[in-house]
Amino acid sequence: MVVYQSAAFITMLQAAAKTLSVAITTSVSRGILLSIRYYCKKTPAKLRVSEAVSGAELGANVKVQGWVRSVRAQKSHLFLHVNDGSSLQSLQVVASSELNDPLLTFGSAVEVTGTLKKSPNQKQLVELEAEQIHIVGKCNPLEFPFKIKERHSLEYIRQFPHLRCRTNAFSSLLRIRSEATTAVHSYFKENGFLQIHTPVITSNDCEGAGELFKIEPSGPDYEEEEHFFSVPAFLTVSGQLHLELMSGAFSKVYTFGPTFRAENSQSRRHLAEFYMVEAEVSFAQSLEDLTKVMEGMFRSATEHVLAHCAEDVDLFHKHVTPGHREIVEAMLRNGFPTITYSEAINILNRSSENFAFPTDWGCDLQTEHEKYLVKHCGNIPVFVTDYPYDLKPFYARDNQDHPEHTAAAVDLLVPGVGELCGGSLREERLDLLTARLQQAGLEDTYSWYLDLRRFGSVPHGGFGMGFERYLLCILGVDNIKDVIPFPRFSHSCVL
Ligand code: 4AD
């Protein structure tokens, strides 16, 4: 049986039923008619709040389910705002005070049936005139950690990881995060990339930094030396090596999934579990072939989010991080400049800033340096290229034609965050790669990786973008724990 969901369709049936009831007199027809009316009356169309507030279903008899965001009882009327997470806007419900109930409180879950009417109040287009309010789940407002009409800070709501999705700010964040995920996938699809599901469990340490979480079964009878996988296995720090393998058959590939780093860090931009977008491009001749993709993805995802989550982004830009909208607009207005690492070091050494970390050639750039460089370049994203060879992992391509010993690596630094993307051309030359792996004692471990250079090797390169850092950048939020549903970091794995 087809069940029609459209409230307008049901209203049409109701009207038809009324007209028909006058015209049709046979008992069979009356029976059919009664069942249509019974169906129409008993099953108002279920609408999401976003559909209800849009105004498209005015006059319809509907049912809306959600959580009460505000309650105001007057002498003759009761006003509620109900939200179901489908939009930042809540639906105003107007009811006779007879429907009031002491259990109708801020935070309670309700099901409201009634008719959608044009609202006399300018603040909203539509309101729901309630015929029935059913309390599905009560909520004691005195014990509920969020208070009606209060704008709680991100730091405050972070203390309630199991409840913070019920606040306006965090539900906006989750809608933005979901839309940004869609935008990233759309960018890659529109640009001819193939999505690869790279593994979460792996036996290699792509970055070689030793920040691995080891995986073994936890059962009482299990001897760790046995190794469940026969070899030591870890949660992935990056899908790059698996993407590189695929880039031997597909010229554009990407992956977007969780990655893990056992970094003992409490910083505002590091997590132990974070999402990374990674791409690999075969036949890449220069870093420009990679920076084009990084910039294109950043622009396209940001424009998509601004267009599709306007109200949610506004909530951040107006109330959480005022002034950040102008920074985002400036990022989109300007092309992203490129400087070399050596130029960056010169800029840092010429500045009058007192940096905590050294700025000698050969030292890694720290967050304080990255933020300074971004400001220096006009507070817009900036690419830094050609880092000292020894700072980069074994896979980075040796810039043999440069006077200093550098690698063809590139980072994208962005306002407020510092490093957003890290990438490089990969060493595709068998002899150079073999020598570097031998030096590190990794020749056997990576014999399969060397094979990729033996059989149809091509110049290629790729990058990874920290998805949470991207959200920090476009929203202006300061702490990475506020842009992921379930933050994991050292000494914290709640829920
Ligand atoms: O610079 P990273 O370590 O690069 C790689 O992992 C490469 N294998 C990627 C590739 O070329 N396919 O990490 C890439 C990005 C960083 O620029 C940063 O934005 C983010 O991942 N990132 C983190 N985000 C949150 N918490 C952490 N602990 C992060 N570590 C890196």
Side-chain angles (χ1 to χ4, degrees), residues 214-224 226-229:
K214 200 167 177 185
I215 305 208
E216 291 296 347
S218 69
D221 304 328
Y222 182 73
E223 299 286 334
E224 198 171 308
E226 282 175 25
H227 289 314
F228 181 87
F229 296 103

Side-chain angles (χ1 to χ4, degrees), residues 198-199 201-207 231-232 234 236-248 280 394-395 426-428 430 433-434 437 442-457 460:
T198 50
I201 299 175
T202 174
S203 55
N204 66 59
D205 177 7
C206 168
E207 293 306 290
V231 289
F234 313 97
T236 185
V237 295
S238 161
Q240 176 192 323
L241 302 185
H242 300 95
L243 278 189
E244 275 195 68
L245 167 171
M246 293 295 175
S247 75
E280 206 63 32
F394 66 86
Y395 53 70
R426 318 307 188 188
E427 187 55 79
E428 85 286 6
L430 180 62
L433 186 60
T434 307
L437 284 171
L442 290 171
E443 200 190 359
D444 293 339
T445 312
Y446 287 110
S447 59
W448 65 270
Y449 190 68
L450 287 168
D451 268 355
L452 306 180
R453 276 59 179 174
R454 282 191 192 99
F455 309 119
S457 182
H460 65 287

Side-chain angles (χ1 to χ4, degrees), residues 207 238 240 261 263 271 274 278 419-420 426 463 466:
E207 293 306 290
S238 161
Q240 176 192 323
R261 308 254 167 124
E263 273 172 302
L271 288 166
F274 62 98
E278 296 183 84
E419 183 192 332
L420 172 67
R426 318 307 188 188
F463 69 91

